């Protein structure tokens, strides 16, 4: 909220509350002689009930409305306002406002004050009085109903005004919370009537007879609701685990994890660190912030450094709920505006392999069950990453060449067949070209420099081809010293020109080799050439799956037999 709006809220409170309370005191001249113990007892009950609010969605249920109603009926408006304000202080102590939320003191105090005033005005306008009431005539019942209805309506109007002015939301009509608030009030105010009637009959004892059950009811319902909330959290946590188990690569696992956890647990930041235990270093691999405009550079931490580093070192979960606790951490990676943070180690086979941290700008934002949930989620994340890496490893073994990391012949042919079938099913015509090349005199290279040197050349060659092709095609190791490239959407002469550029890149730049069989140990440079064949569908075959045979034939007939180190088109081999 802007500083100007914050100041204006406090000025509104100052202009309304102190002056109005002073006026009411001198106008009403309240006299509680002989009733101070009763007033204090009512105040204690109201503060105790306010300390255990029941939060249902965005609706906060206070049993203080019932108790304050009894106070209003017997002692009048001034006593009801004072005790309600004291109960508000008790509530604000419980929720632990941070400095940036102090404006809520003024807004809530003003709202409760004006609600009391307007409800009382309706009550007096309908002929209501205070003290000992029989409540058995229509003249005395109508003001009670007016007070209750006036309290609900004014409260909702003030909530709407606060929502518009403070939060900047647009007015969209009568809020849906009005019905809920009405039902809650219908439940609470009868408690106030019962308390009032018993107070008339037995005095001070009635406050405790009704008040203590009200406190216990608040505690029980609040605890029950929190238990229900935890059960929902656990259910959602289980769903996240199931969702993660479906992901088959690490990136999808991490993206899904941070998205789901960010929606599940209140937070301002989430960090996921990966740990390299051999060097005891930590690298941040995922980061999400509520402020989408904020970009955080990669964070690297050492063993024991910062909040996450301490969790890595101690191998135990941590929860800090005050800025003073976070401020004691040396070299902390947590932003200054953060007031609460939870961190848990991600374990695998009794070894810390990562750290998960969530942080909030609010003080006391987290409770023990949040820590429990994050531990469960950390275990889910560990298992999901391990499964994704295992799947990817097995997939690479079946699809990729172990030496070069390129796709293997099996994957290449399956991909070509699948793509060709897709074209046929969709009745599409698309030009496909295969560039097949074989390194010249590679056996002599192995005999002269050794197979380790030959492997170095193959690995470097694979890197060059991938860099050259980029996203324009699919590269695979065909077998031995043969490689193949599939490109789409090129005319045949364009594919030949493209292959010529690739041939020149191979021939002109030497390969640096360190593992050779020569007498000296210094690295050497080896020049290598390649013979290349190019075939295009539908120019040289009727179906795409014939492309490899046509490209292979053009390479041997058109390139190898004609001097090597050249590009041959399938048209030359016909």
């Amino acid at each position: 909220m802007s500083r100007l709006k914050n100041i204006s809220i406090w000025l509104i409170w100052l202009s309304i509350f102190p002056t109005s309370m002073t006026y009411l005191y001198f106008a009403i001249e309240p006299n509680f002689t002989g009733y101070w113990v009763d007033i204090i007892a009512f105040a204690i009950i109201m503060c105790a009930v306010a300390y255990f609010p029941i939060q249902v969605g965005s609706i906060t249920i206070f049993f203080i409305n019932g108790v304050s109603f009894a106070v209003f009926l017997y002692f009048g408006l001034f006593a009801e306002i004072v005790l309600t304000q004291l109960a508000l202080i008790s509530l604000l102590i419980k929720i632990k406002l941070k400095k940036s939320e102090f404006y809520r003191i003024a807004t809530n105090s003003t709202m409760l004050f004006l609600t009391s005033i307007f409800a009382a005005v309706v009550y007096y306008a309908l002929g209501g009085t205070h003290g000992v009431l029989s409540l058995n005539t229509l003249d005395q019942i109508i003001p009670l109903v007016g007070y209750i209805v006036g309290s609900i309506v004014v409260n909702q109007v003030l909530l709407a005004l606060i929502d518009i002015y403070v939060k900047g939301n647009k007015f969209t009509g009568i809020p849906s919370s009005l019905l809920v608030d009405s039902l809650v009030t219908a439940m609470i105010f009868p408690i106030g009537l019962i308390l009032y009637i018993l107070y008339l009959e037995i005095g001070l004892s009635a406050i405790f007879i009704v008040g203590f059950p009200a406190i216990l009811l608040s505690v029980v319902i609040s605890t029950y609701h929190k238990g229900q909330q935890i059960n929902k959290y656990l259910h959602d946590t289980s769903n996240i685990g199931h969702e993660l188990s479906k992901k088959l690569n690490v990136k999808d696992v991490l993206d899904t994890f941070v998205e789901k956890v960010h929606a599940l647990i209140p937070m301002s930041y989430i960090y996921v660190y990966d740990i390299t235990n051999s060097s005891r270093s930590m690298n941040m691999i995922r980061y999400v912030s509520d402020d989408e405009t904020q970009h955080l550079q990669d964070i690297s931490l050492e063993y024991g450094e910062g909040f996450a580093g301490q969790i890595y070192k101690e191998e135990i979960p941590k929860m800090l709920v005050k800025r003073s606790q976070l401020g004691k951490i040396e070299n902390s990676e947590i932003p200054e505006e953060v007031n609460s943070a939870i961190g848990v180690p991600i374990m695998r086979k009794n070894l810390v392999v990562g750290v998960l941290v969530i942080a909030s700008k609010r003080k006391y934002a987290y409770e023990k069950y949040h820590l429990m949930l994050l531990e469960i989620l950390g275990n889910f994340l560990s298992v999901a990453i391990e499964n994704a890496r295992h799947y990817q490893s097995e997939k690479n073994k079946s699809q990729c060449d172990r030496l070069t990391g390129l796709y293997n012949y099996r994957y290449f042919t399956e991909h070509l067949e699948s793509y060709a079938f897709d074209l046929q099913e969709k009745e599409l015509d698309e030009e496909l070209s295969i560039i097949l090349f074989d390194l010249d005199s590679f056996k002599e290279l192995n005999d002269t420099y050794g197979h380790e040197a030959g492997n170095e050349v193959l690995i470097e060659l694979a890197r060059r081809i991938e860099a050259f092709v980029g996203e324009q095609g699919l590269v695979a190791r065909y077998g031995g010293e043969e490689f193949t490239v599939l490109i789409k959407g090129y005319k045949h002469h364009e594919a030949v020109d493209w292959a010529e550029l690739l041939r020149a890149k191979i021939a002109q730049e030497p390969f640096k080799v360190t593992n050779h069989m020569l007498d000296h140990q210094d690295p050497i440079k080896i020049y290598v050439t390649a013979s290349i064949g190019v075939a295009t569908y539908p120019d040289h075959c009727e179906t795409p799956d014939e492309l490899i045979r046509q490209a292979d034939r053009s390479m041997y007939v058109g390139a190898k037999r004609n001097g090597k180190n050249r590009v041959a088109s399938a048209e030359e081999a016909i």
Side-chain angles (χ1 to χ4, degrees), residues 434-437 440 492-506 530-535 551 554-560 562-572:
I434 280 188
I435 300 169
L436 184 66
F437 58 92
D440 298 324
H492 179 64
H493 71 276
E494 294 173 334
V496 171
D497 293 342
W498 201 81
E500 179 59 38
L501 292 174
L502 180 57
R503 183 205 62 79
K505 187 172 185 63
I506 295 171
S531 297
I532 302 177
V534 183
S554 63
M555 180 187 69
Y556 278 100
V557 175
K560 288 286 187 184
N562 290 314
K564 303 179 180 180
N565 189 25
R566 57 170 294 168
V567 175
S569 165
E571 295 174 352
E572 301 177 34

Short mmCIF file of all heavy atoms in Angstrom, two decimals, residues 434-437 440 492-506 530-535 551 554-560 562-572:
data_model
loop_
_atom_site.label_atom_id
_atom_site.label_comp_id
_atom_site.label_asym_id
_atom_site.label_seq_id
_atom_site.Cartn_x
_atom_site.Cartn_y
_atom_site.Cartn_z
N ILE A 434 18.26 -36.65 -46.99
CA ILE A 434 19.21 -37.31 -46.09
C ILE A 434 20.62 -37.05 -46.62
O ILE A 434 20.90 -37.22 -47.81
CB ILE A 434 18.93 -38.81 -46.00
CG1 ILE A 434 17.77 -39.06 -45.03
CG2 ILE A 434 20.16 -39.57 -45.52
CD1 ILE A 434 17.51 -40.50 -44.70
N ILE A 435 21.45 -36.61 -45.67
CA ILE A 435 22.87 -36.40 -45.97
C ILE A 435 23.64 -37.46 -45.21
O ILE A 435 23.66 -37.46 -43.98
CB ILE A 435 23.31 -34.98 -45.55
CG1 ILE A 435 22.49 -33.93 -46.30
CG2 ILE A 435 24.80 -34.78 -45.76
CD1 ILE A 435 22.66 -32.53 -45.76
N LEU A 436 24.25 -38.37 -45.94
CA LEU A 436 24.97 -39.50 -45.34
C LEU A 436 26.45 -39.34 -45.67
O LEU A 436 26.82 -39.16 -46.83
CB LEU A 436 24.43 -40.81 -45.91
CG LEU A 436 25.00 -42.11 -45.33
CD1 LEU A 436 24.61 -42.27 -43.87
CD2 LEU A 436 24.50 -43.31 -46.14
N PHE A 437 27.31 -39.37 -44.66
CA PHE A 437 28.74 -39.20 -44.96
C PHE A 437 29.59 -40.17 -44.16
O PHE A 437 29.21 -40.62 -43.08
CB PHE A 437 29.20 -37.75 -44.77
CG PHE A 437 28.98 -37.19 -43.40
CD1 PHE A 437 29.97 -37.26 -42.43
CD2 PHE A 437 27.79 -36.57 -43.08
CE1 PHE A 437 29.78 -36.73 -41.18
CE2 PHE A 437 27.58 -36.03 -41.83
CZ PHE A 437 28.58 -36.12 -40.87
N ASP A 440 36.88 -40.39 -44.62
CA ASP A 440 37.81 -41.03 -45.55
C ASP A 440 39.03 -41.57 -44.80
O ASP A 440 39.57 -40.90 -43.90
CB ASP A 440 38.27 -40.01 -46.61
CG ASP A 440 37.10 -39.50 -47.44
OD1 ASP A 440 36.19 -40.31 -47.72
OD2 ASP A 440 37.09 -38.30 -47.79
N HIS A 492 16.33 -30.15 -53.45
CA HIS A 492 17.49 -31.03 -53.51
C HIS A 492 18.79 -30.25 -53.71
O HIS A 492 19.80 -30.53 -53.03
CB HIS A 492 17.32 -32.04 -54.66
CG HIS A 492 18.50 -32.97 -54.78
ND1 HIS A 492 18.84 -33.87 -53.80
CD2 HIS A 492 19.44 -33.11 -55.77
CE1 HIS A 492 19.91 -34.53 -54.15
NE2 HIS A 492 20.30 -34.10 -55.36
N HIS A 493 18.78 -29.26 -54.57
CA HIS A 493 20.01 -28.49 -54.80
C HIS A 493 20.41 -27.70 -53.55
O HIS A 493 21.59 -27.48 -53.28
CB HIS A 493 19.86 -27.56 -56.01
CG HIS A 493 18.94 -26.39 -55.79
ND1 HIS A 493 17.57 -26.48 -55.95
CD2 HIS A 493 19.20 -25.11 -55.39
CE1 HIS A 493 17.02 -25.29 -55.68
NE2 HIS A 493 17.99 -24.46 -55.34
N GLU A 494 19.41 -27.29 -52.75
CA GLU A 494 19.71 -26.60 -51.50
C GLU A 494 20.34 -27.56 -50.49
O GLU A 494 21.28 -27.19 -49.77
CB GLU A 494 18.44 -25.99 -50.90
CG GLU A 494 17.83 -24.88 -51.74
CD GLU A 494 16.48 -24.41 -51.21
OE1 GLU A 494 15.79 -25.22 -50.53
OE2 GLU A 494 16.11 -23.25 -51.47
N ALA A 495 19.84 -28.78 -50.48
CA ALA A 495 20.41 -29.79 -49.58
C ALA A 495 21.85 -30.12 -49.98
O ALA A 495 22.72 -30.32 -49.12
CB ALA A 495 19.55 -31.05 -49.60
N VAL A 496 22.13 -30.18 -51.29
CA VAL A 496 23.49 -30.45 -51.77
C VAL A 496 24.41 -29.30 -51.36
O VAL A 496 25.54 -29.53 -50.90
CB VAL A 496 23.49 -30.65 -53.30
CG1 VAL A 496 24.92 -30.71 -53.83
CG2 VAL A 496 22.73 -31.91 -53.68
N ASP A 497 23.96 -28.06 -51.56
CA ASP A 497 24.78 -26.91 -51.16
C ASP A 497 25.05 -26.93 -49.65
O ASP A 497 26.15 -26.62 -49.19
CB ASP A 497 24.07 -25.60 -51.53
CG ASP A 497 23.97 -25.40 -53.03
OD1 ASP A 497 24.73 -26.06 -53.77
OD2 ASP A 497 23.12 -24.60 -53.48
N TRP A 498 24.02 -27.30 -48.90
CA TRP A 498 24.14 -27.37 -47.44
C TRP A 498 25.16 -28.43 -47.03
O TRP A 498 25.98 -28.24 -46.15
CB TRP A 498 22.75 -27.72 -46.89
CG TRP A 498 22.50 -27.38 -45.46
CD1 TRP A 498 22.17 -26.18 -44.93
CD2 TRP A 498 22.54 -28.30 -44.36
NE1 TRP A 498 21.99 -26.28 -43.58
CE2 TRP A 498 22.22 -27.57 -43.19
CE3 TRP A 498 22.81 -29.66 -44.25
CZ2 TRP A 498 22.16 -28.16 -41.94
CZ3 TRP A 498 22.76 -30.24 -43.00
CH2 TRP A 498 22.43 -29.50 -41.86
N ALA A 499 25.14 -29.56 -47.76
CA ALA A 499 26.09 -30.65 -47.49
C ALA A 499 27.51 -30.23 -47.85
O ALA A 499 28.49 -30.61 -47.18
CB ALA A 499 25.70 -31.89 -48.27
N GLU A 500 27.65 -29.41 -48.86
CA GLU A 500 28.98 -28.94 -49.27
C GLU A 500 29.58 -28.04 -48.18
O GLU A 500 30.79 -28.11 -47.90
CB GLU A 500 28.87 -28.18 -50.59
CG GLU A 500 30.18 -27.60 -51.12
CD GLU A 500 31.25 -28.66 -51.35
OE1 GLU A 500 30.90 -29.78 -51.80
OE2 GLU A 500 32.44 -28.37 -51.07
N LEU A 501 28.76 -27.23 -47.57
CA LEU A 501 29.24 -26.40 -46.47
C LEU A 501 29.71 -27.27 -45.30
O LEU A 501 30.73 -26.99 -44.66
CB LEU A 501 28.13 -25.45 -45.99
CG LEU A 501 27.69 -24.35 -46.95
CD1 LEU A 501 26.48 -23.60 -46.39
CD2 LEU A 501 28.84 -23.36 -47.18
N LEU A 502 28.97 -28.33 -45.03
CA LEU A 502 29.34 -29.25 -43.96
C LEU A 502 30.66 -29.96 -44.28
O LEU A 502 31.52 -30.12 -43.40
CB LEU A 502 28.21 -30.27 -43.75
CG LEU A 502 28.42 -31.32 -42.64
CD1 LEU A 502 28.67 -30.65 -41.30
CD2 LEU A 502 27.22 -32.24 -42.57
N ARG A 503 30.81 -30.40 -45.54
CA ARG A 503 32.06 -31.07 -45.96
C ARG A 503 33.25 -30.15 -45.76
O ARG A 503 34.31 -30.56 -45.24
CB ARG A 503 31.96 -31.49 -47.44
CG ARG A 503 33.19 -32.26 -47.94
CD ARG A 503 33.35 -32.12 -49.43
NE ARG A 503 33.55 -30.75 -49.83
CZ ARG A 503 34.72 -30.10 -49.72
NH1 ARG A 503 35.79 -30.69 -49.19
NH2 ARG A 503 34.83 -28.85 -50.10
N ALA A 504 33.10 -28.88 -46.17
CA ALA A 504 34.20 -27.92 -46.05
C ALA A 504 34.55 -27.68 -44.58
O ALA A 504 35.73 -27.55 -44.23
CB ALA A 504 33.81 -26.61 -46.73
N LYS A 505 33.53 -27.63 -43.74
CA LYS A 505 33.77 -27.39 -42.30
C LYS A 505 34.56 -28.53 -41.69
O LYS A 505 35.42 -28.32 -40.83
CB LYS A 505 32.43 -27.23 -41.58
CG LYS A 505 32.57 -26.81 -40.12
CD LYS A 505 31.23 -26.47 -39.53
CE LYS A 505 31.40 -25.95 -38.10
NZ LYS A 505 32.17 -24.70 -38.03
N ILE A 506 34.30 -29.76 -42.16
CA ILE A 506 35.05 -30.93 -41.65
C ILE A 506 36.49 -30.91 -42.14
O ILE A 506 37.44 -31.15 -41.38
CB ILE A 506 34.36 -32.23 -42.10
CG1 ILE A 506 32.96 -32.34 -41.45
CG2 ILE A 506 35.21 -33.45 -41.72
CD1 ILE A 506 32.13 -33.48 -42.00
N ALA A 530 35.68 -36.12 -45.54
CA ALA A 530 34.50 -36.99 -45.58
C ALA A 530 33.92 -37.03 -46.99
O ALA A 530 33.94 -36.04 -47.72
CB ALA A 530 33.45 -36.49 -44.60
N SER A 531 33.42 -38.19 -47.34
CA SER A 531 32.68 -38.37 -48.60
C SER A 531 31.20 -38.37 -48.25
O SER A 531 30.76 -39.08 -47.33
CB SER A 531 33.07 -39.68 -49.26
OG SER A 531 34.43 -39.67 -49.62
N ILE A 532 30.42 -37.59 -48.99
CA ILE A 532 29.03 -37.35 -48.63
C ILE A 532 28.10 -37.66 -49.79
O ILE A 532 28.36 -37.29 -50.94
CB ILE A 532 28.84 -35.88 -48.18
CG1 ILE A 532 29.77 -35.55 -47.00
CG2 ILE A 532 27.38 -35.62 -47.80
CD1 ILE A 532 29.70 -34.12 -46.53
N GLY A 533 26.99 -38.31 -49.44
CA GLY A 533 25.94 -38.57 -50.41
C GLY A 533 24.64 -37.91 -49.97
O GLY A 533 24.31 -37.91 -48.79
N VAL A 534 23.90 -37.37 -50.96
CA VAL A 534 22.65 -36.66 -50.67
C VAL A 534 21.53 -37.21 -51.53
O VAL A 534 21.69 -37.35 -52.75
CB VAL A 534 22.80 -35.14 -50.93
CG1 VAL A 534 21.51 -34.41 -50.53
CG2 VAL A 534 24.00 -34.57 -50.18
N ALA A 535 20.40 -37.50 -50.89
CA ALA A 535 19.20 -37.94 -51.61
C ALA A 535 17.99 -37.22 -51.04
O ALA A 535 17.94 -36.91 -49.84
CB ALA A 535 19.03 -39.44 -51.48
N ALA A 551 20.79 -42.41 -50.47
CA ALA A 551 21.90 -41.58 -50.02
C ALA A 551 23.17 -42.40 -49.87
O ALA A 551 24.27 -41.95 -50.22
CB ALA A 551 21.54 -40.92 -48.68
N SER A 554 24.58 -43.06 -53.34
CA SER A 554 25.22 -41.88 -53.93
C SER A 554 26.56 -41.58 -53.27
O SER A 554 27.51 -41.13 -53.93
CB SER A 554 24.29 -40.67 -53.80
OG SER A 554 24.06 -40.36 -52.45
N MET A 555 26.67 -41.88 -51.95
CA MET A 555 27.94 -41.63 -51.26
C MET A 555 29.04 -42.54 -51.81
O MET A 555 30.15 -42.07 -52.12
CB MET A 555 27.77 -41.86 -49.76
CG MET A 555 29.05 -41.65 -48.95
SD MET A 555 28.86 -42.12 -47.22
CE MET A 555 28.73 -43.90 -47.36
N TYR A 556 28.77 -43.84 -51.96
CA TYR A 556 29.80 -44.77 -52.41
C TYR A 556 30.09 -44.64 -53.91
O TYR A 556 31.25 -44.59 -54.35
CB TYR A 556 29.41 -46.21 -52.08
CG TYR A 556 29.74 -46.57 -50.65
CD1 TYR A 556 28.75 -46.56 -49.67
CD2 TYR A 556 31.04 -46.85 -50.27
CE1 TYR A 556 29.05 -46.87 -48.36
CE2 TYR A 556 31.35 -47.17 -48.95
CZ TYR A 556 30.35 -47.18 -48.00
OH TYR A 556 30.66 -47.48 -46.70
N VAL A 557 29.00 -44.55 -54.70
CA VAL A 557 29.19 -44.50 -56.16
C VAL A 557 29.67 -43.13 -56.61
O VAL A 557 30.60 -43.00 -57.43
CB VAL A 557 27.87 -44.87 -56.89
CG1 VAL A 557 28.02 -44.70 -58.41
CG2 VAL A 557 27.46 -46.29 -56.55
N GLY A 558 29.03 -42.08 -56.06
CA GLY A 558 29.34 -40.74 -56.55
C GLY A 558 30.50 -40.07 -55.86
O GLY A 558 31.17 -39.21 -56.45
N ALA A 559 30.77 -40.41 -54.58
CA ALA A 559 31.82 -39.71 -53.83
C ALA A 559 33.06 -40.56 -53.62
O ALA A 559 34.17 -40.18 -54.00
CB ALA A 559 31.26 -39.23 -52.49
N LYS A 560 32.91 -41.72 -53.02
CA LYS A 560 34.05 -42.57 -52.71
C LYS A 560 34.81 -42.98 -53.98
O LYS A 560 36.04 -42.91 -54.04
CB LYS A 560 33.59 -43.83 -51.97
CG LYS A 560 33.14 -43.60 -50.53
CD LYS A 560 34.31 -43.34 -49.60
CE LYS A 560 33.87 -43.30 -48.14
NZ LYS A 560 35.00 -42.96 -47.25
N ASN A 562 34.93 -41.54 -56.76
CA ASN A 562 35.39 -40.40 -57.57
C ASN A 562 36.39 -39.52 -56.84
O ASN A 562 36.44 -38.31 -57.02
CB ASN A 562 34.20 -39.57 -58.04
CG ASN A 562 33.36 -40.29 -59.07
OD1 ASN A 562 33.88 -40.87 -60.02
ND2 ASN A 562 32.05 -40.28 -58.88
N GLY A 563 37.15 -40.12 -55.92
CA GLY A 563 38.25 -39.39 -55.32
C GLY A 563 38.08 -38.99 -53.87
O GLY A 563 38.98 -38.41 -53.27
N LYS A 564 36.93 -39.27 -53.28
CA LYS A 564 36.67 -38.94 -51.87
C LYS A 564 36.65 -37.43 -51.63
O LYS A 564 36.86 -36.64 -52.56
CB LYS A 564 37.69 -39.62 -50.94
CG LYS A 564 37.75 -41.14 -51.08
CD LYS A 564 38.79 -41.73 -50.14
CE LYS A 564 38.85 -43.25 -50.28
NZ LYS A 564 39.85 -43.87 -49.40
N ASN A 565 36.39 -37.04 -50.39
CA ASN A 565 36.34 -35.63 -49.98
C ASN A 565 35.49 -34.80 -50.94
O ASN A 565 35.89 -33.74 -51.42
CB ASN A 565 37.75 -35.03 -49.88
CG ASN A 565 37.73 -33.64 -49.23
OD1 ASN A 565 36.82 -33.31 -48.48
ND2 ASN A 565 38.72 -32.83 -49.56
N ARG A 566 34.31 -35.31 -51.19
CA ARG A 566 33.41 -34.59 -52.08
C ARG A 566 31.96 -34.94 -51.74
O ARG A 566 31.68 -35.91 -51.05
CB ARG A 566 33.69 -34.92 -53.54
CG ARG A 566 33.62 -36.39 -53.89
CD ARG A 566 33.66 -36.58 -55.39
NE ARG A 566 32.46 -36.03 -56.01
CZ ARG A 566 32.32 -35.84 -57.32
NH1 ARG A 566 33.32 -36.13 -58.14
NH2 ARG A 566 31.20 -35.36 -57.81
N VAL A 567 31.03 -34.13 -52.26
CA VAL A 567 29.60 -34.34 -52.08
C VAL A 567 29.03 -34.87 -53.39
O VAL A 567 29.30 -34.33 -54.46
CB VAL A 567 28.88 -33.03 -51.70
CG1 VAL A 567 27.37 -33.25 -51.64
CG2 VAL A 567 29.38 -32.50 -50.36
N ALA A 568 28.25 -35.93 -53.31
CA ALA A 568 27.64 -36.53 -54.50
C ALA A 568 26.13 -36.55 -54.34
O ALA A 568 25.61 -36.93 -53.28
CB ALA A 568 28.17 -37.94 -54.73
N SER A 569 25.43 -36.15 -55.38
CA SER A 569 23.98 -36.18 -55.39
C SER A 569 23.50 -37.55 -55.85
O SER A 569 24.18 -38.25 -56.62
CB SER A 569 23.45 -35.09 -56.33
OG SER A 569 22.09 -35.31 -56.63
N ALA A 570 22.32 -37.92 -55.41
CA ALA A 570 21.73 -39.19 -55.85
C ALA A 570 21.53 -39.20 -57.35
O ALA A 570 21.52 -40.26 -57.99
CB ALA A 570 20.40 -39.42 -55.14
N GLU A 571 21.41 -38.02 -57.96
CA GLU A 571 21.25 -37.94 -59.39
C GLU A 571 22.50 -38.43 -60.13
O GLU A 571 22.43 -38.94 -61.25
CB GLU A 571 20.92 -36.50 -59.79
CG GLU A 571 19.56 -36.04 -59.25
CD GLU A 571 19.32 -34.56 -59.52
OE1 GLU A 571 20.27 -33.90 -59.99
OE2 GLU A 571 18.19 -34.09 -59.25
N GLU A 572 23.70 -38.29 -59.52
CA GLU A 572 24.94 -38.73 -60.14
C GLU A 572 25.05 -40.24 -60.12
O GLU A 572 25.76 -40.84 -60.93
CB GLU A 572 26.15 -38.13 -59.42
CG GLU A 572 26.17 -36.61 -59.41
CD GLU A 572 27.33 -36.07 -58.62
OE1 GLU A 572 28.40 -36.71 -58.62
OE2 GLU A 572 27.17 -35.02 -57.97
#
